[in-house]
Structures are given as C-alpha cells and as structure tokens.
Amino acid sequence: MISTSTYNIHITYFPVRARCEPVLLILADSGAKFEYEEIPLGKWTEMKKTGRVMPAMFPYGAVPILRVIDKSSEQRSEFLLGETSAILSYLEEILTPPGSTLNKDLPLQTRVRTQMIKEASLFFTNRVWQLSVEKDWLAPPSRDNIWKAITIRYLRNTEAALRELQKETKVVPVETGHLTALHATVAAAITFITQLFPSAKRGANTWRGFPAVRAIMDGSYYSPKGCCLLERTCNR
C-alpha cells in the first residue's frame, strides 16, 4: 500500500464531474493525501491553441492526468499517467490495503470480466457527458433517448455482467472493506444517472430490476471516506 509520506499524488482535471469521478472516489476512500488541480475549460482551450498541451505533460492531449513523485528516490522522478482506466488500475494496486487480494492475482476470466464492466461504465459516463454540448440535450426527445436507449441499456448489461462476476468473486463492497476500481466506476456512473434523472434516485421501482448494480451503489456509501465524495457529487 502506498504511503502518503513517501509519495506525492497529483490529479489534474476540469472543474466538472465525469471521467475523473471514479479516480477521486477511490482516492477519497483510501485516505491517501492528494492534490487536485482544476483547469477551467477556457484555459484548457487556450493551452491547446498555444501548444502547451504536449505529450510530455499531457499524454494523448487529454485529462485526467495523474502525477506521482517518489520522495524517497534520489532523483525524485515524476511518474506521469493519462487515461482514466490506466490511472484507476495503477491507483487500485498501490492503494490496496496489505493482505487484500490484488486484481492481478485473480483468475484471467475474472480480471477481464471486471475490466469489461469498468470500461463500459467509463464509456457510458463519457458518452452521456459528451452529449451535454448540445443545447437541448436534456429536453425531450433527447432526454427520453438518453434514458431508454443509453442508460437503461447500460444498466441491463451491467446487471447481467455483475451477476456473472458474482459467481467468481465478491462484487459488493462491505463496510469494513475498501473500494475497488470496479466499485468506483459503477458508483460514479450511477451517481451521474441519479443527478441527470432525479426521479430515478427517488423511485424504488427504477432499481428493482438491477439489484447487483444497486448493491454496489449502496455498498459504496458504506465507505466513511468515499461517502462524503459521493454525497457531494450527488448534490452538486
């Protein structure tokens, strides 16, 4: 497990939710100290126009970006990583408490099924977020399409995948446990859904057909540290 006295963790993203949400959730749950830098969208556009978004600083010209400095090293070299999925895989391994099973130690089929759910959850969140550039994206009929063609499809497929995964490994987080990248990506996607569709958060019937998905969401709230971030993102 990483020691915050040995490492400096720095995250760079926009002042919005979406792709960085699961990264912040897994960091908050771990209790690791980290710095969070927000780049306003206007400044980001200017940085790209002036050539300041370089591969050496922003891999693949995008955010979020993770920077980790090992203070115990004489070189104090900086490790730079982009892409949410890669960042989550790295943080999950270094933040996992001693004695816990690492994702890399699980059977191959379990690992790839877990990765499938994580990638699908990240894709769902990013896909819906990109629709927000449209002026009337949350007005009918676009809103209905987002719910029926995108959101419900994601929930059904995630529920089916989680049920299969439950046959191989423990899926639902427990109060005394830690959140994994799987928990973080699914929980972040569900909080995004409940923010876009408040009636889904209030209606019990919405989740009746998705017990495994709901269990991950509820289980994530049991985390004392992660709970604060989830509550903040649901209400902002």
Side-chain angles (χ1 to χ4, degrees), residues 18 165 177 200 219:
L165 187 60

Side-chain angles (χ1 to χ4, degrees), residues 3 96 98 108 133 143 152 179 186 215 233:
S3 171
T96 297
L108 175 60
V133 298
R143 181 183 179 87
I152 292 297
L179 296 187
V186 174
T233 56

Side-chain angles (χ1 to χ4, degrees), residues 172-184:
V172 180
V174 296
E175 187 172 357
T176 56
H178 67 284
L179 296 187
T180 66
L182 172 68
H183 301 146

Side-chain angles (χ1 to χ4, degrees), residues 61-131:
V63 288
I65 294 295
L66 170 70
R67 291 180 172 85
V68 178
I69 298 177
D70 184 353
K71 295 186 290 184
S72 66
S73 170
E74 292 183 2
Q75 292 82 14
R76 294 176 64 88
S77 58
E78 180 181 77
F79 176 66
L80 183 66
L81 192 62
E83 298 300 320
T84 305
S85 181
I87 292 173
L88 285 169
S89 295
Y90 176 80
L91 290 176
E92 181 176 40
E93 184 163 329
I94 66 173
L95 296 175
T96 297
S100 301
T101 302
L102 295 173
N103 187 66
K104 66 178 183 178
D105 297 326
L106 295 172
L108 175 60
Q109 291 187 357
T110 303
R111 296 201 311 269
V112 295
R113 195 186 301 277
T114 299
Q115 185 67 23
M116 175 183 71
I117 298 171
K118 291 190 296 184
E119 295 290 349
S121 297
L122 291 171
F123 178 78
F124 162 78
T125 303
N126 194 47
R127 181 185 182 187
V128 176
W129 182 255
Q130 288 179 339
L131 294 174

Side-chain angles (χ1 to χ4, degrees), residues 33-60:
K33 294 181 180 179
F34 64 96
E35 297 179 26
Y36 184 58
E37 176 188 7
E38 294 183 344
I39 301 180
L41 296 178
K43 182 180 179 180
W44 177 253
T45 301
E46 180 185 351
M47 289 171 62
K48 295 182 71 173
K49 288 181 179 179
T50 55
R52 287 182 286 168
V53 180
M54 305 290 290
M57 295 295 292
F58 297 94
Y60 293 96

